[in-house]
């Protein structure tokens, strides 16, 4: 059995950036990244030569470090006006800030500094106005298939150098839940890997440690079992500080809580 502070399942862009944020904001953390595919340098699709899919398991196009993005054309939309509901969840300015932070990381690892904008849009804008449509002008950073692969290779090397542990060719078969709390995982190889919840125990030996409870909404525990609620309230009562992000549940409140924890981690 191995112990980690954080276990991330999946080494797609979300998992990669999660590991990057954690290891740079709290370098003392033991972080494990589990991926069912291969290391990026080991990803190779026979179809490129044979022109026929041979059904590799796992598929090197869709799985492995960087996910399907490793071999995609790689275009980054640099405006919160397109691509989802992040501005509704975090606010427009916060979403813009996050997009720029992510873009800066790509630039740090070799992305093209050029940003492409549509040049000949006057006629398109006129037609959009006549059709009662809003034309959204979105700056694009084009990574390119080959360059995107190189960028993710550098990111993989960087995370390993910073101490992030990675398990490739490994599936998660089960999430270990104890008293309503996710504590670890069981892999297809039978390994038990725990992400320990040990802050309260450490406070007995290190009284200067402070524990803050970041709660997404007041109604978080309403549907939990009695035992889960009792444990939750007992832990909350021992925290040095409690931060309530909002009064009622709404889509995205958990993401808002997670962002708060990253931004306020010591």
């Amino acid at each position: 059995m191995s112990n980690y502070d954080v276990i991330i399942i999946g080494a797609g862009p979300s998992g990669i950036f999660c590991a990057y944020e954690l290891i740079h904001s709290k370098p003392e953390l033991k972080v494990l990244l589990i991926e069912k595919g291969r290391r990026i340098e080991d990803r190779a699709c026979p179809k490129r030569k044979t022109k026929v899919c041979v059904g590799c398991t796992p598929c090197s196009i869709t799985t492995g470090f960087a996910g399907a993005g490793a071999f995609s054309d790689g275009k980054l939309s640099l405006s919160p006006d397109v691509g989802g509901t992040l501005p509704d969840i975090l606010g427009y300015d916060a979403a813009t800030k996050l997009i720029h932070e992510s873009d800066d990381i790509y630039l740090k690892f070799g992305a093209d500094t050029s940003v492409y904008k549509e040049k000949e849009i006057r006629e398109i804008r006129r037609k959009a106005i006549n059709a009662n449509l809003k034309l959204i002008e979105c700056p694009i950073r084009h990574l390119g298939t080959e360059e995107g692969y190189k960028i993710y290779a550098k990111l993989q090397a960087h995370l390993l150098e910073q101490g992030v542990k990675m398990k490739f060719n490994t599936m998660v078969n089960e999430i270990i839940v104890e008293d309503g709390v996710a504590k670890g995982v069981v892999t297809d190889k039978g390994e038990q890997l725990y992400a320990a919840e040990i802050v309260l125990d450490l406070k007995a030996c290190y009284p200067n440690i402070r524990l803050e409870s970041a709660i997404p909404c007041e109604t978080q525990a309403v549907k939990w079992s009695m035992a889960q609620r009792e444990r939750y309230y007992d832990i909350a009562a021992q925290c040095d500080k409690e931060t309530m992000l909002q009064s009622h549940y709404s889509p995205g409140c958990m993401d808002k809580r997670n962002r708060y924890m990253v931004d306020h981690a010591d």
Side-chain angles (χ1 to χ4, degrees), residues 8-139:
I8 302 168
I9 303 173
S14 294
I16 292 169
F17 276 78
C18 179
Y20 185 93
E21 285 284 313
L22 287 169
I23 210 64
H24 281 275
S25 59
K26 301 195 74 174
E28 73 277 9
L29 288 178
K30 290 180 63 179
V31 178
L32 174 66
L33 189 60
I34 302 177
E35 167 58 44
K36 71 177 180 179
R38 302 171 178 86
R39 298 170 63 99
I40 194 164
E41 64 269 23
D42 294 333
R43 294 178 62 179
C45 178
K47 187 178 179 180
R48 291 187 169 186
K49 294 182 178 180
T50 65
K51 308 302 180 183
V52 177
C53 176
V54 297
C56 296
T57 304
C59 172
S60 278
I61 291 296
T62 58
T63 69
F65 190 88
F71 299 107
S72 73
D73 191 32
K75 290 185 174 67
L76 303 180
S77 299
L78 304 180
S79 169
D81 293 316
V82 299
T85 59
L86 195 61
D88 298 329
I89 297 169
L90 298 179
Y92 192 90
D93 290 343
T96 301
K97 181 174 180 289
L98 279 179
I99 288 171
H100 289 160
E101 286 179 7
S102 300
D103 186 40
D104 286 343
I105 294 172
Y106 277 105
L107 288 171
K108 177 181 177 180
F109 288 91
D112 187 352
T113 57
S114 302
V115 173
Y116 296 89
K117 298 181 180 179
E118 186 64 56
K119 296 179 180 179
E120 299 175 358
I121 62 171
R122 184 174 299 175
E123 180 63 17
I124 298 174
R125 185 186 292 112
R126 185 188 65 78
K127 290 181 178 179
I129 293 172
N130 290 339
N132 199 30
L133 298 173
K134 178 183 178 182
L135 177 66
I136 299 174
E137 300 175 36
C138 178

Side-chain angles (χ1 to χ4, degrees), residues 97 170 201 211 239:
K97 181 174 180 289
T170 301
D201 290 336
L211 178 62
C239 291

